[in-house]
Short mmCIF file of all heavy atoms in Angstrom, two decimals:
data_model
loop_
_atom_site.label_atom_id
_atom_site.label_comp_id
_atom_site.label_asym_id
_atom_site.label_seq_id
_atom_site.Cartn_x
_atom_site.Cartn_y
_atom_site.Cartn_z
N LEU A 17 -12.30 24.25 2.17
CA LEU A 17 -13.47 23.55 1.65
C LEU A 17 -14.44 23.20 2.77
O LEU A 17 -15.66 23.36 2.62
CB LEU A 17 -13.04 22.27 0.92
CG LEU A 17 -12.30 22.46 -0.39
CD1 LEU A 17 -11.71 21.14 -0.87
CD2 LEU A 17 -13.21 23.05 -1.44
N TYR A 65 -8.26 7.36 -2.64
CA TYR A 65 -8.83 8.01 -1.47
C TYR A 65 -7.73 8.64 -0.64
O TYR A 65 -6.55 8.34 -0.82
CB TYR A 65 -9.63 7.01 -0.62
CG TYR A 65 -8.77 5.92 -0.02
CD1 TYR A 65 -8.28 6.04 1.27
CD2 TYR A 65 -8.44 4.79 -0.75
CE1 TYR A 65 -7.48 5.06 1.83
CE2 TYR A 65 -7.64 3.80 -0.20
CZ TYR A 65 -7.17 3.93 1.09
OH TYR A 65 -6.38 2.96 1.63
N LEU A 83 -17.03 6.56 -13.32
CA LEU A 83 -18.31 6.38 -13.99
C LEU A 83 -18.19 6.49 -15.50
O LEU A 83 -18.69 5.65 -16.25
CB LEU A 83 -19.33 7.40 -13.48
CG LEU A 83 -19.84 7.20 -12.07
CD1 LEU A 83 -20.67 8.39 -11.63
CD2 LEU A 83 -20.65 5.92 -11.97
#
Side-chain angles (χ1 to χ4, degrees):
L17 291 170
Y65 65 95
L83 289 172

